[in-house]
Amino acid sequence: QQQVKQSPQSLIVQKGGISIINCAYENTAFDYFPWYQQFPGKGPALLIAIRPDVSEKKEGRFTISFNKSAKQFSLHIMDSQPGDSATYFCAATDSNYQLIWGAGTKLIIKP
Amino acid sequence: KAGVTQTPRYLIKTRGQQVTLSCSPISGHRSVSWYQQTPGQGLQFLFEYFSETQRNKGNFPGRFSGRQFSNSRSEMNVSTLELGDSALYLCASSTQGDTEAFFGQGTRLTVV
């Protein structure tokens, strides 16, 4: 019940296309859902985050869509660029303040 | 303000040895978490410290231990190193643990 399932494991998208990464969870006590971006040789960095009281949050080309009833949330990257090529992690946190991580998605944007 | 600092950046150790890694969190952050990252395994949670107390612990053997000092700096120790301990060890700090976690660049440990 503590798991966050992330898919796909890897994704190749053409430049200018839309990249979509999905995550699903079981624990209804989760109340904070961040997405992190990691470039090779670097630690992950927070990209965008959402709380369950909203269904969508947009920051520039990055959007989180949140479906509370389905216990799913997804990251959409519009107009994907080669510089977006990275590994993306979804996560969720509960009242114990512990981040539960998805397995990661390696995104490659082809020029 | 300064980010999360992890030292050393790279480390090569021999099987059976022990190692200590250090993490200096962002000033004012009281929560420090440690992760192990290996290719294809994502981020495996080791433990989290908050105000010098271990608040959460992952599923790692007792060879992995940590502590946090009064200035929030944290260390993790791995004893009796095994080849499988070769990984990138990441430290993250946050104010409370449920807000943005800031990661260091990690310590790359190689066990030979």
Side-chain angles (χ1 to χ4, degrees):
Chain A
Q1 212 190 14
Q2 282 293 90
Q3 282 186 321
V4 175
K5 294 183 179 179
Q6 184 172 347
S7 62
Q9 195 172 24
S10 61
L11 181 62
I12 300 174
V13 174
Q14 287 293 130
K15 178 183 173 183
I18 302 173
S19 304
I20 302 174
I21 304 171
N22 301 299
C23 285
Y25 64 97
E26 290 294 324
N27 188 347
T28 55
F30 288 154
D31 59 3
Y32 176 70
F33 301 88
W35 284 90
Y36 281 77
Q37 179 188 55
Q38 184 180 26
F39 293 105
K42 304 283 189 183
L46 180 67
L47 187 62
I48 186 172
I50 198 168
R51 296 209 181 259
D53 52 345
V54 297
S55 60
E56 186 175 282
K57 183 174 181 180
K58 184 175 180 179
E59 288 185 2
R61 297 183 293 109
F62 300 91
T63 300
I64 299 180
S65 296
F66 187 83
N67 186 327
K68 191 173 181 178
S69 60
K71 290 184 280 187
Q72 294 175 348
F73 58 109
S74 59
L75 175 70
H76 295 235
I77 306 174
M78 313 299 287
D79 187 26
S80 298
Q81 299 296 312
D84 297 331
S85 297
T87 299
Y88 292 81
F89 293 94
C90 65
T93 191
D94 60 15
S95 58
N96 288 326
Y97 304 112
Q98 181 180 345
L99 274 169
I100 310 298
W101 295 84
T105 297
K106 185 172 182 178
L107 174 65
I108 297 171
I109 307 300
K110 283 197 156 184
Chain B
K1 56 183 173 181
V4 177
T5 303
Q6 289 189 247
T7 56
R9 287 292 312 280
Y10 303 92
L11 208 48
I12 299 175
K13 289 286 189 178
T14 304
R15 265 185 308 173
Q17 286 186 313
Q18 75 156 13
V19 67
T20 299
L21 312 182
S22 179
C23 173
S24 293
I26 290 172
S27 177
H29 286 191
R30 295 162 65 191
S31 169
V32 174
S33 297
W34 288 89
Y35 296 89
Q36 182 193 66
Q37 187 174 36
T38 53
Q41 290 297 315
L43 290 159
Q44 302 298 313
F45 173 72
L46 281 152
F47 27 69
E48 184 228 357
Y49 286 87
F50 183 81
S51 293
E52 300 180 67
T53 300
Q54 188 181 85
R55 188 162 65 175
N56 289 296
K57 189 177 188 305
N59 294 323
F60 276 80
R63 300 185 297 107
F64 292 81
S65 63
R67 58 178 175 168
Q68 186 179 34
F69 303 95
S70 59
N71 62 358
S72 293
R73 190 178 72 86
S74 178
E75 289 181 346
M76 71 162 278
N77 184 276
V78 187
S79 63
T80 320
L81 283 165
E82 300 176 359
L83 294 178
D85 297 333
S86 295
L88 179 68
Y89 290 87
L90 290 161
C91 159
S93 77
S94 65
T95 52
Q96 268 277 58
D98 67 334
T99 53
E100 180 175 359
F102 293 82
F103 282 83
Q105 288 200 282
T107 294
R108 172 76 62 186
L109 172 65
T110 302
V111 182
V112 297

